[in-house]
Amino acid sequence: MCPVQFGIWEITIDLLSSFGSLKFLNDIYSISLEAKYTDDDGERASANLLAYASFTPSNRHIQVTTSTKSPRVGEYIIFHVRADYYVEQFSYLIMSKGIILLSGVEEMPASIKTFAVSLSSEMAPTATIVVYDIAREGEVVADSLMFPVDGISKNNFTVMLNNKKDKTGETIEVIVKGQPGTYVGLSAVDHVLHNMRTGSDLSPAEVLEKMNTFDENRNSTLTFSWKSRG
């Protein structure tokens, strides 16, 4: 099980060790994965994933990955760029919600280059980095990676209620404690309506799901949601 996120399993597939030769790997166009799970109560779940191999007519490849498990606004995300051919320098750009937020050029003295990028609130909830190089004969070799950015839990705060300050009982004091500059929105509903579960409440999951619709879904990140069985 993944040590960072409970309920998530990570697996690594080494095709080179399985086939033993790069010649066989060049003939692979796609790989299909199927996962099945059965819990202690006999409930079953399954999922499928179809991954396609990258294509390049000149057999030149460039790849971008990240080793940052939980990117957060105000912190740095670490990217690793690999290439199987000589690259003097490569260009990159980061965009979110259809807007280019950052671009730059990095020198590549070896076959792998590691660099860090500061995460801003404009990158939440998801952003995409595109890495490209113009190789010989004018061929554009590129790769992209879409990564999540946690912008909701940037500033932690607490809310307390004090109903003893006003002796008449007509008003109540709301005490919010957090970091300076934090924007906190409050909403109050009647206790009876709250117990009816009308579906008008906002949750972090609903906010993220709505914000994810601002981007195109052609190459989205893998998402998961917890659902109650009750």
Side-chain angles (χ1 to χ4, degrees):
M1 185 178 296
C2 176
V4 179
Q5 186 61 253
F6 177 78
I8 303 298
W9 279 262
E10 292 183 353
I11 61 173
T12 301
I13 301 177
D14 190 354
L15 295 179
L16 182 59
S17 300
S18 301
F19 291 94
S21 174
L22 291 175
K23 179 180 179 181
F24 294 99
L25 295 182
N26 294 331
D27 297 332
I28 297 177
Y29 296 97
S30 63
I31 180 173
S32 177
L33 301 177
E34 181 179 3
K36 296 181 179 180
Y37 174 77
T38 304
D39 63 6
D40 297 335
D41 299 329
E43 296 289 339
R44 298 181 179 181
S46 62
N48 295 279
L49 175 65
L50 182 61
Y52 292 94
S54 60
F55 171 77
T56 169
S58 61
N59 205 26
R60 297 188 181 103
H61 300 86
I62 192 170
Q63 181 190 45
V64 55
T65 59
T66 178
S67 57
T68 304
K69 297 297 183 181
S70 301
R72 298 177 182 271
V73 171
E75 299 180 358
Y76 285 89
I77 183 172
I78 307 300
F79 292 110
H80 309 280
V81 177
R82 297 175 174 86
D84 58 0
Y85 68 101
Y86 175 74
V87 177
E88 182 178 356
Q89 62 181 19
F90 62 87
S91 303
Y92 71 92
L93 59 89
I94 297 179
M95 55 186 179
S96 178
K97 296 177 282 292
I99 302 175
I100 298 178
L101 303 175
L102 183 66
S103 63
V105 178
E106 291 286 340
E107 301 289 337
M108 197 165 184
S111 60
I112 180 173
K113 172 68 176 183
T114 300
F115 64 101
V117 173
S118 177
L119 297 174
S120 62
S121 58
E122 291 81 5
M123 299 179 185
T126 55
T128 302
I129 180 172
V130 180
V131 175
Y132 62 94
D133 170 59
I134 302 179
R136 297 179 181 178
E137 296 86 29
E139 179 187 4
V140 179
V141 184
D143 189 25
S144 65
L145 174 67
M146 198 172 189
F147 55 93
V149 179
D150 186 0
I152 292 183
S153 58
K154 176 183 177 181
N155 297 324
N156 296 324
F157 62 92
T158 59
V159 179
M160 296 182 296
L161 301 178
N162 182 15
N163 58 353
K164 298 180 180 180
K165 186 174 183 179
D166 188 357
K167 302 302 181 180
T168 63
E170 296 180 355
T171 61
I172 188 173
E173 182 184 27
V174 181
I175 304 173
V176 180
K177 294 182 179 180
Q179 299 179 2
T182 302
Y183 179 83
V184 179
L186 300 176
S187 175
V189 295
D190 188 82
H191 180 68
V192 177
L193 296 178
H194 177 72
N195 292 336
M196 293 176 62
R197 304 292 181 181
T198 58
S200 59
D201 298 336
L202 287 178
S203 65
E206 292 174 338
V207 174
L208 290 176
E209 184 178 358
K210 187 62 177 179
M211 293 181 66
N212 281 327
T213 60
F214 299 159
D215 263 329
E216 296 183 357
N217 295 326
R218 296 178 181 177
N219 185 22
S220 59
T221 56
L222 297 177
T223 60
F224 61 91
S225 59
W226 303 108
K227 297 182 179 179
S228 175
R229 296 184 179 181

